[in-house]
Amino acid sequence: MGKVSTNLKGGIDFKRVLIKYARNWYLFALALIIAYLIATIQNRYVVPIYSLSTSVLIEDKSNKSVLDQRGSISADPLFLNSKLIDNQIAILKSFSQIRLIIRNLNFEVSYFAKGTYIWEEIYTRAPFIVKLDTGHSQVRNVRFELKFDGKSGFQFRSEHPGGVPEVKNYRFGEVISGKDYSFSILLKDNINPADYTGQDYGFMINDLNQLTAQYRKKTNIETAKQGSVIVITSSGPNKNKEKDYLNELTRVFLVTNLEKKNRILTSTIEFIDGQILQMGADLDSAEQKLEEFRKDNKFMQLSAKATALLKEMGDLAKDRANLLSDKKYYEYLLDYLLKHNSFEDVVMPSTVGLSLPLFSDLVLKLSTVSLEKEDLIANSSRQNPYIQVLDEQISNMKVALIENMNSIIKTTQLKIDDLDKRLLEKDVDFSTLPGIERKYLEIERKYNVYNNLYDFLLQRKSETEIQRAANTPDHEILDYAGDTGITTVSASPKTAYLNALIWAILIPAVFLFLIVLLNNRILSRDDIDAITDIPVIGTLVRNTDKRTGKILLSANSAFTETLRIIKIKLNLDPTKGEQVISVTSSVIDEGKTYLAIHLASVYALAGKKTLLLGFDLHRPKISEAFNLTRSEGVTNFLINDLEIDQVIQHTYTKNLDILLSGPTPPNPDELIESEKTRELFSVLRQRYDFIIVDTPPVGYLGDAFLLNRYSDVTLYVVRYNYSTKKHFATSIAEAVENKMKRLNIVFTDVKQKVRNMDIHIPDNTENRHPAIRHFIRLRRSTVGLIRKF
């Protein structure tokens, strides 16, 4: 007997998938039409988006200018490469910086013109400008619409609930006001209103904070692969607007950088001026005393000892004066740290000729953290936990700076004390000099100290002023926006149609593929062969004519010929006792009764005395198929109610008799296993050449297994797109296990076009619903037209 496989997973039948695609070609055609319409509508209503870029070179300046230790332009190469560029990017994308750009370019009001399908932003091409009343509240993000009347006015309306729902006429320059808005509309210079008659225009007053957030989000800054170059990109529906935005952003960036450098130098000059003013007064006083002493004492020349002593004491006094100046500067820094949180205007140590690397490094780090905090506040609330972490870092850095300055001040004071001690020692030698020389030496020593410091301060001021006059930004614009090309980032019309084509093919393909993949029903002989190696003795195409006796009415039809082939393949010989053919299936409605009826008709047409025996005692169908009124049958004979001749019914067809199942008994199994059943088949074998037995499905009942002892051949019916693989595999395995005799499979109700000019298949189109008839005719016409091409 045949083998049965219960492994139903298998692989994907691509052949079946392709057949499914071919049979449902109209789904692809419909999807293409719908996708084309959607793409067309999309191209009409989608606003194109353009992307522009500009590039800036971040200079790595490592000169020894007074600005070298400034935090944002640190000359440390190791720190610059990793932090300087990040700092500049943070400045460019800071909320305050972008808000300033938006204000500079007057982006607060956006202007639109209505095209065929959508509103298009026209930026500076609008023939009018909107002048806002700054003292009045303005509704935001609401479009106001106007249309030129060709004279000196326009029609105006608004969809805002508190605005102008109906069209009203206004003159240019006239104030338009409401509860939430107040503005006037002015014509631009050299604009003739008649040239814009009938054109719909609109404008919108933007919320600056929202607009700043939008521009900040779409401003993308990346560093180049090599060097210290950053590339800034932005995208939007208006090319000129994005171009102006990027160029203004880089311009303000450079201007801000230069102003910051100049502000530092200006603060340095102001500090030096204060020192010069004080030092000049001290120098004048010392010079005046020196002249008066010489005049009063007629003193012109010092002795050699006094001259040497004067030089030594002058050097010590000069060092002491320098230390006092340094201490004063350190006290200035300490006071600045205690009173300020920002370090934009602080005079750095290098400005006054000092080197404090630890202080400069701490200021640099503090500036970086402060900038990060400001950037975070612009994008979130102050309740952000990370802001609290940054506040703690800033506080710790300030404490470290203050401790550093206190330590430096103490160290400087110790140096001053040491010089004072050395000066006291020189005073002992000084006291041995004559009185007049001692007095003169003291005055001249002070004068020399003040004079040297005054000259030093004048030199530093001159150097700083020269540097401020020749100052340039640290960075440089390499490519301006608009010069490096404009790219379209939104979907182009071609892309929309291409995407539509892809989706039009993909969606039906996936849909049909899933139908095939998830369909657990038997759709081909390959599905049967994958489950069992029991032979498929025949394949019956779908029969649209459901009338019983079709074979008798159309003896030469393709359906009849297929059944004749099955009869030939069975090759039963009544003389050898091969007479009984059982017909069964897995479940109900698979067509076993239909097959039994028409197979019996084939044998009858062949001149064989044939009996159609209904042994489905649970769900009989033969009487309904033949419209028989008598209900007597097998049951009546088995319970000894009637004789065999009384239950057999003759048909109008020669050689074809019918024995119905009869009334449904309460104990079908017992009746089948009774001796009367054996007697029945014995009598029937003597009277008929062939007996076609309609048995119950083996998937539900075991009657077919009980009747197997009386059968010579078993035909197992599998219905196309109805029988499930799971039920078939289970039932056919049971049939094999119960050793059903000469088991063969008949595949029924298969869709297949029969192309045989000698075979006539009736067209039942006219018997269908009118809508279905029109659809079928339209489909045939379409197919015929396609074939012509």
Side-chain angles (χ1 to χ4, degrees):
M1 195 63 68
K3 298 179 181 179
V4 178
S5 173
T6 57
N7 183 12
L8 304 180
K9 295 182 179 180
I12 300 173
D13 190 345
F14 289 101
K15 180 180 177 181
R16 183 187 301 171
V17 173
L18 294 176
I19 293 174
K20 192 75 172 178
Y21 290 165
R23 289 178 177 174
N24 295 273
W25 60 267
Y26 53 89
L27 290 180
F28 291 92
L30 181 62
L32 284 171
I33 295 172
I34 295 174
Y36 174 79
L37 294 176
I38 292 175
T40 302
I41 294 173
Q42 180 182 357
N43 287 333
R44 289 178 177 177
Y45 290 94
V46 171
V47 179
I49 303 298
Y50 304 96
S51 176
L52 289 83
S53 63
T54 181
S55 57
V56 179
L57 173 65
I58 305 299
E59 294 278 10
D60 182 4
K61 295 194 174 184
S62 57
N63 56 23
K64 301 300 181 181
S65 69
V66 295
L67 299 172
D68 284 348
Q69 296 184 30
R70 179 64 182 167
S72 62
I73 51 172
S74 172
D76 185 356
L78 296 177
F79 187 80
L80 183 139
N81 291 333
S82 60
K83 289 296 182 181
L84 176 60
I85 295 179
D86 292 340
N87 290 347
Q88 304 312 308
I89 291 176
I91 292 173
L92 282 165
K93 291 198 68 174
S94 64
F95 191 88
S96 58
Q97 183 86 345
I98 294 180
R99 185 183 176 90
L100 175 62
I101 305 304
I102 289 175
R103 284 189 176 277
N104 290 348
L105 295 173
N106 296 320
F107 281 2
E108 187 174 5
V109 179
S110 298
Y111 298 89
F112 304 89
K114 189 173 184 181
T116 307
Y117 301 102
I118 59 175
W119 286 89
E120 176 188 1
E121 186 173 3
I122 55 178
Y123 188 37
T124 56
R125 292 187 291 111
F128 62 92
I129 59 173
V130 177
K131 183 178 180 181
L132 301 178
D133 183 356
T134 56
H136 197 285
S137 62
Q138 306 290 349
V139 64
R140 305 288 175 169
N141 302 323
V142 174
R143 187 172 62 238
F144 297 91
E145 299 176 11
L146 60 111
K147 180 184 292 187
F148 285 37
D149 60 10
K151 299 177 182 178
S152 59
F154 55 90
Q155 298 174 347
F156 181 82
R157 67 179 298 272
S158 169
E159 297 179 356
H160 177 55
V164 185
E166 293 129 5
V167 176
K168 289 187 177 181
N169 294 323
Y170 291 90
R171 299 178 66 84
F172 290 106
E174 183 179 352
V175 176
I176 304 173
S177 62
K179 179 181 178 182
D180 297 326
Y181 59 88
S182 178
F183 49 78
S184 57
I185 298 176
L186 307 176
L187 271 178
K188 288 184 177 179
D189 296 336
N190 302 321
I191 292 295
N192 184 5
D195 296 337
Y196 300 91
T197 303
Q199 174 64 53
D200 291 320
Y201 290 99
F203 64 90
M204 181 185 298
I205 305 173
N206 299 302
D207 183 284
L208 286 181
N209 289 333
Q210 292 182 9
L211 189 63
T212 302
Q214 292 174 9
Y215 269 89
R216 191 172 183 274
K217 182 178 181 180
K218 71 178 185 176
T219 301
N220 185 37
I221 305 177
E222 297 179 350
T223 56
K225 294 181 180 180
Q226 297 179 349
S228 55
V229 177
I230 59 174
V231 179
I232 311 170
T233 60
S234 179
S235 57
N238 191 285
K239 293 178 283 189
N240 292 328
K241 189 173 185 180
E242 299 306 314
K243 174 183 175 181
D244 290 349
Y245 165 73
L246 290 176
N247 289 335
E248 181 68 9
L249 179 64
T250 53
R251 186 194 69 81
V252 171
F253 173 63
L254 297 187
V255 170
T256 303
N257 175 259
L258 181 59
E259 289 177 349
K260 184 184 295 184
K261 292 173 64 178
N262 288 337
R263 189 165 57 249
I264 297 169
L265 295 174
T266 301
S267 299
T268 302
I269 293 173
E270 291 175 353
F271 176 80
I272 294 175
D273 283 340
Q275 296 294 308
I276 290 175
L277 182 63
Q278 181 178 351
M279 197 61 62
D282 294 338
L283 180 60
D284 290 341
S285 176
E287 184 179 12
Q288 184 177 0
K289 288 182 180 180
L290 182 60
E291 290 297 328
E292 289 177 353
F293 182 83
R294 286 176 177 174
K295 182 179 180 181
D296 294 341
N297 298 281
K298 297 181 181 181
F299 183 82
M300 299 301 296
Q301 181 104 18
L302 290 173
S303 65
K305 181 180 179 181
T307 302
L309 186 61
L310 176 62
K311 183 178 183 307
E312 291 178 8
M313 295 183 71
D315 292 339
L316 293 175
K318 179 180 178 181
D319 292 341
R320 184 178 185 278
N322 289 335
L323 288 174
L324 286 173
S325 177
D326 293 348
K327 181 184 176 183
K328 188 172 183 179
Y329 169 72
Y330 298 149
E331 290 172 346
Y332 153 79
L333 288 180
L334 180 61
D335 182 69
Y336 194 97
L337 289 171
L338 294 173
K339 295 181 179 179
H340 297 79
N341 293 320
S342 174
F343 300 93
E344 296 294 326
D345 300 325
V346 65
V347 178
M348 297 299 290
S350 61
T351 307
V352 292
L354 298 176
S355 177
L356 297 176
L358 179 59
F359 176 84
S360 300
D361 186 56
L362 287 173
V363 170
L364 174 61
K365 292 180 180 179
L366 186 58
S367 299
T368 303
V369 175
S370 299
L371 187 63
E372 184 179 359
K373 175 186 173 182
E374 293 176 4
D375 187 59
L376 195 60
I377 291 175
N379 293 276
S380 62
S381 63
R382 287 188 174 272
Q383 284 71 34
N384 191 320
Y386 188 58
I387 293 180
Q388 299 177 6
V389 174
L390 295 180
D391 284 336
E392 185 176 355
Q393 292 181 10
I394 292 172
S395 177
N396 293 337
M397 289 181 186
K398 286 192 67 175
V399 170
L401 280 171
I402 292 172
E403 291 178 353
N404 179 256
M405 291 313 307
N406 284 325
S407 175
I408 292 173
I409 291 173
K410 289 180 181 179
T411 302
T412 305
Q413 184 61 49
L414 289 176
K415 292 180 180 180
I416 293 172
D417 294 341
D418 180 66
L419 287 176
D420 287 343
K421 182 178 179 182
R422 292 170 63 185
L423 284 171
L424 287 175
E425 293 175 354
K426 294 297 179 183
D427 283 341
V428 176
D429 296 336
F430 182 74
S431 61
T432 61
L433 294 175
I436 189 170
E437 285 190 346
R438 190 169 58 251
K439 185 67 175 176
Y440 177 80
L441 190 61
E442 181 181 353
I443 296 173
E444 187 177 20
R445 178 166 55 87
K446 289 184 179 180
Y447 170 78
N448 289 335
V449 169
Y450 292 144
N451 186 55
N452 290 333
L453 286 176
Y454 189 79
D455 291 340
F456 169 77
L457 291 174
L458 288 177
Q459 181 181 358
R460 295 299 296 175
K461 178 181 178 181
S462 177
E463 291 175 355
T464 306
E465 287 178 338
I466 292 173
Q467 184 169 355
R468 183 177 63 175
N471 215 359
T472 59
D474 290 328
H475 318 303
E476 179 183 353
I477 299 175
L478 298 181
D479 295 307
Y480 288 90
D483 295 340
T484 56
I486 301 172
T487 58
T488 304
V489 296
S490 60
S492 64
K494 290 182 180 180
T495 303
Y497 285 118
L498 179 60
N499 291 336
L501 176 62
I502 294 173
W503 285 109
I505 296 175
L506 187 62
I507 292 177
V510 172
F511 173 71
L512 296 174
F513 177 81
L514 290 176
I515 289 178
V516 174
L517 182 65
L518 301 177
N519 191 353
N520 190 37
R521 298 182 180 184
I522 295 176
L523 300 175
S524 68
R525 288 185 58 167
D526 292 338
D527 291 338
I528 299 174
D529 295 338
I531 296 173
T532 180
D533 60 357
I534 295 173
V536 178
I537 197 172
T539 301
L540 298 178
V541 298
R542 175 168 295 180
N543 179 24
T544 57
D545 187 355
K546 299 299 182 182
R547 292 175 295 172
T548 303
K550 167 181 170 55
I551 291 178
L552 303 177
L553 297 174
S554 306
N556 295 321
S557 67
F559 182 79
T560 305
E561 289 299 326
T562 304
L563 288 170
R564 285 195 179 106
I565 293 173
I566 294 175
K567 180 179 80 69
I568 294 171
K569 287 182 177 181
L570 290 175
N571 193 25
L572 301 179
D573 187 355
T575 61
K576 297 180 180 180
E578 299 173 345
Q579 298 172 269
V580 181
I581 303 173
S582 294
V583 183
T584 188
S585 63
S586 301
V587 295
I588 61 175
D589 293 332
E590 287 186 307
K592 64 178 183 60
T593 303
Y594 188 76
L595 174 64
I597 292 172
H598 289 88
L599 187 62
S601 301
V602 167
Y603 277 100
L605 288 175
K608 304 297 181 179
K609 192 170 180 58
T610 306
L611 175 68
L612 176 60
L613 175 56
F615 235 111
D616 189 346
L617 304 181
H618 300 269
R619 196 168 178 268
K621 284 293 187 71
I622 295 177
S623 60
E624 297 178 9
F626 283 93
N627 295 323
L628 299 177
T629 56
R630 289 174 55 188
S631 60
E632 299 85 357
V634 174
T635 306
N636 301 98
F637 175 78
L638 295 180
I639 63 176
N640 296 314
D641 188 20
L642 296 173
E643 296 296 328
I644 188 69
D645 291 328
Q646 292 178 301
V647 295
I648 293 177
Q649 302 186 46
H650 302 287
T651 67
Y652 292 104
T653 303
K654 185 180 179 180
N655 299 322
L656 180 60
D657 293 340
I658 298 176
L659 177 53
L660 300 177
S661 60
T664 303
N667 54 346
D669 296 347
E670 295 178 4
L671 289 178
I672 294 174
E673 292 182 303
S674 67
E675 188 62 31
K676 289 289 290 184
T677 302
R678 184 183 299 276
E679 178 186 341
L680 173 65
F681 276 97
S682 177
V683 171
L684 294 178
R685 282 176 178 273
Q686 294 176 3
R687 291 189 179 189
Y688 295 95
D689 295 322
F690 293 101
I691 303 166
I692 313 300
V693 185
D694 179 25
T695 64
V698 298
Y700 289 158
L701 302 168
D703 296 9
F705 300 140
L706 297 175
L707 292 170
N708 183 49
R709 71 185 67 175
Y710 306 112
S711 298
D712 301 308
V713 175
T714 302
L715 296 182
Y716 198 103
V717 177
V718 178
R719 184 177 177 182
Y720 168 83
N721 201 27
Y722 183 85
S723 302
T724 63
K725 297 176 183 178
K726 182 178 180 181
H727 282 147
F728 172 64
T730 303
S731 301
I732 198 68
E734 292 180 357
V736 171
E737 184 179 353
N738 284 274
K739 299 180 180 179
M740 298 192 79
K741 298 175 182 176
R742 290 185 63 181
L743 190 59
N744 292 275
I745 296 173
V746 179
F747 195 28
T748 66
D749 202 29
V750 178
K751 291 182 179 180
Q752 181 177 336
K753 294 183 179 179
V754 181
R755 298 184 178 276
N756 192 327
M757 300 303 296
D758 298 329
I759 300 176
H760 173 69
I761 297 179
D763 187 358
N764 296 321
T765 303
E766 299 300 328
N767 297 329
R768 299 178 179 177
H769 190 276
I772 298 178
R773 293 203 306 269
H774 288 307
F775 175 75
I776 293 175
R777 290 170 183 169
L778 178 62
R779 187 175 65 176
R780 288 175 179 172
S781 302
T782 304
V783 173
L785 183 62
I786 293 174
R787 286 175 178 170
K788 290 181 180 180
F789 292 96

